[in-house]
């Protein structure tokens, strides 16, 4: 019964995560409103999913000290759940 409950939670997490990642481009305005207090602006926010891992892409990330272009972050979901913290499988920046 515990195993079944665990599998249901994983399935619910996957479905919810896939929906949120696919809607990231629609959430760009809300993300910019939250980050504006810190002087950060996101342009071209999008998401994708590779097997069990979500991928977040940002065309341009403006920071108070400069900018990043072509940012891609892939989160390792299995290792993150196992260790209890978010772990990146891949983090890539095209221009700094």
């Amino acid at each position: 019964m515990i195993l079944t409950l665990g599998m249901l939670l994983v399935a619910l997490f996957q479905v919810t995560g896939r929906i949120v990642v696919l809607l990231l481009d629609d959430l760009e305005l809300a993300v910019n409103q939250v980050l504006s207090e810190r002087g950060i602006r996101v342009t071209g926010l999008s998401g994708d999913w590779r097997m069990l891992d979500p991928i977040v892409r940002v065309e341009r990330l403006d920071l108070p000290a400069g900018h990043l272009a072509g940012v891609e972050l892939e989160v390792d979901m299995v290792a993150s759940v196992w260790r209890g913290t978010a772990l990146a499988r891949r983090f890539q920046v095209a221009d700094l």
Side-chain angles (χ1 to χ4, degrees), residues 12 22 29-30 37 42-43 57 65:
L12 179 65
L22 290 175
L29 180 62
E37 301 172 352
V42 174
T43 306
R57 292 185 182 92

Side-chain angles (χ1 to χ4, degrees), residues 15-36:
V15 169
T16 304
R18 287 178 187 266
I19 291 170
V20 169
V21 167
L22 290 175
L23 296 176
L24 277 178
D25 57 338
D26 296 332
L27 298 173
E28 184 174 326
L29 180 62
V31 169
N32 279 325
Q33 288 175 346
V34 170
L35 295 175
S36 67

Side-chain angles (χ1 to χ4, degrees), residues 48-66:
D48 198 5
W49 208 271
R50 182 176 299 141
M51 296 176 25
L52 294 176
D53 300 336
I55 301 170
V56 177
R57 292 185 182 92
V58 177
E59 287 179 19
R60 183 177 173 98
L61 181 64
D62 293 309
L63 304 168

Side-chain angles (χ1 to χ4, degrees), residues 1 6 9 11 14 32-34 40 42 46 49 52 59 65 68 71-72 75 78-79 81 89 96:
M1 187 166 162
L9 288 174
Q14 279 286 310
N32 279 325
Q33 288 175 346
V34 170
I40 300 172
V42 174
S46 65
W49 208 271
L52 294 176
E59 287 179 19
L68 305 171
V71 178
E72 185 172 311
V75 178
V78 175
V81 169
R89 175 180 294 268
L96 180 59

